[in-house]
Amino acid sequence: MNGQPKPHILFTREEVEATVNRLAAEVRRDYQGKHPLLIGILKGSFVFMADLIRLLDFPLEVEFITLSSYGRGRSTPGGIKVVKGLRAEVKGRDVLIIEDIVDTGLTISFLLDYLGKKKPASLRLCALTDKPSRRQVPVTIDYLGFTVPNKFIVGYGIDWDERFRYLPDICFVEVED
Ligand code: IMP
């Protein structure tokens, strides 16, 4: 597509704030006193993660992991791999993965399997958005913000080819596959 597509608001910043508050309350309820390890998947989760942890009022640890990137198109690459791994020990920890969007589910399935092999005490998923219409493998999302339609989502940390991460609302753009 030539030029810059126009972002359309799907969820306003106020709706995002209310939803992140709700998710934080759920996480507080379940992880209080457990010193959990929150693992954000870069780069899309960093804004969500930053807002979420400031609503958690107990000790926790933050880590990030980088998986092979989605790129510009909508097709998830077949072979997912860890590009930049974790420093923290996962064994015996209560691990909560923080993801921006679950689409086909391939990325998160890979990560759940990867982290599961490291023998955490518990392993759960918190996703800001879910696009179930494109699912290829089943995924259980323990804490979910929004269900989104089959559109290309941007904003609130989520990009299209590195663009639009800065938008405070969750938006969609019309892009070619
Ligand atoms: P999956 O493996 O197909 O579930 O894709 C997961 C990753 O693809 C997400 O973490 C995003 O980085 C990226 N992704 C999937 N759908 C979108 C979208 O609509 N906008 C931006 N990134 C997306």
Side-chain angles (χ1 to χ4, degrees):
M1 177 183 280
N2 293 324
Q4 178 109 321
K6 184 176 157 28
H8 305 277
I9 294 180
L10 203 53
F11 301 107
T12 63
R13 63 201 77 183
E14 291 81 14
E15 289 172 302
V16 173
E17 188 183 355
T19 294
V20 175
N21 269 302
R22 183 205 12 110
L23 291 173
E26 292 172 20
V27 172
R28 277 202 304 270
R29 178 196 65 204
D30 295 348
Y31 286 92
Q32 190 83 245
K34 290 191 169 172
H35 198 263
L37 174 62
L38 272 58
I39 301 179
I41 308 180
L42 288 175
K43 299 176 194 171
S45 71
F46 82 102
V47 174
F48 174 39
M49 177 92 135
D51 282 347
L52 184 74
I53 64 161
R54 281 178 289 177
L55 298 166
L56 304 178
D57 52 356
F58 53 82
L60 56 86
E61 200 174 334
V62 167
E63 269 283 356
F64 287 100
I65 193 165
T66 306
L67 303 174
S68 45
S69 99
Y70 193 78
R72 182 176 177 142
R74 292 189 65 178
S75 314
T76 298
I80 296 157
K81 57 182 195 293
V82 176
V83 177
K84 187 170 167 295
L86 305 168
R87 289 199 192 160
E89 177 82 48
V90 167
K91 191 170 179 199
R93 301 296 301 274
D94 289 299
V95 174
L96 181 59
I97 300 171
I98 311 294
E99 173 63 310
D100 58 348
I101 178 160
V102 180
D103 188 24
T104 62
L106 293 170
T107 304
I108 204 65
S109 301
F110 167 86
L111 186 59
L112 285 165
D113 185 57
Y114 174 85
L115 293 173
K117 288 185 179 138
K118 296 181 184 292
K119 303 271 178 267
S122 68
L123 181 58
R124 288 188 191 162
L125 171 62
C126 174
L128 177 67
T129 65
D130 179 25
K131 206 191 290 177
S133 53
R134 299 223 328 140
R135 196 72 91 253
Q136 287 179 25
V137 286
V139 173
T140 300
I141 303 176
D142 302 284
Y143 307 92
L144 173 64
F146 301 99
T147 299
V148 296
N150 189 9
K151 303 266 189 199
F152 200 91
I153 307 302
V154 295
Y156 197 64
I158 305 171
D159 76 307
W160 172 67
D161 197 23
E162 293 303 325
R163 293 176 228 192
F164 303 122
R165 283 194 207 279
Y166 59 88
L167 295 174
D169 309 297
I170 294 178
C171 304
F172 70 89
V173 287
E174 306 282 359
V175 294
E176 315 258 314
D177 262 344

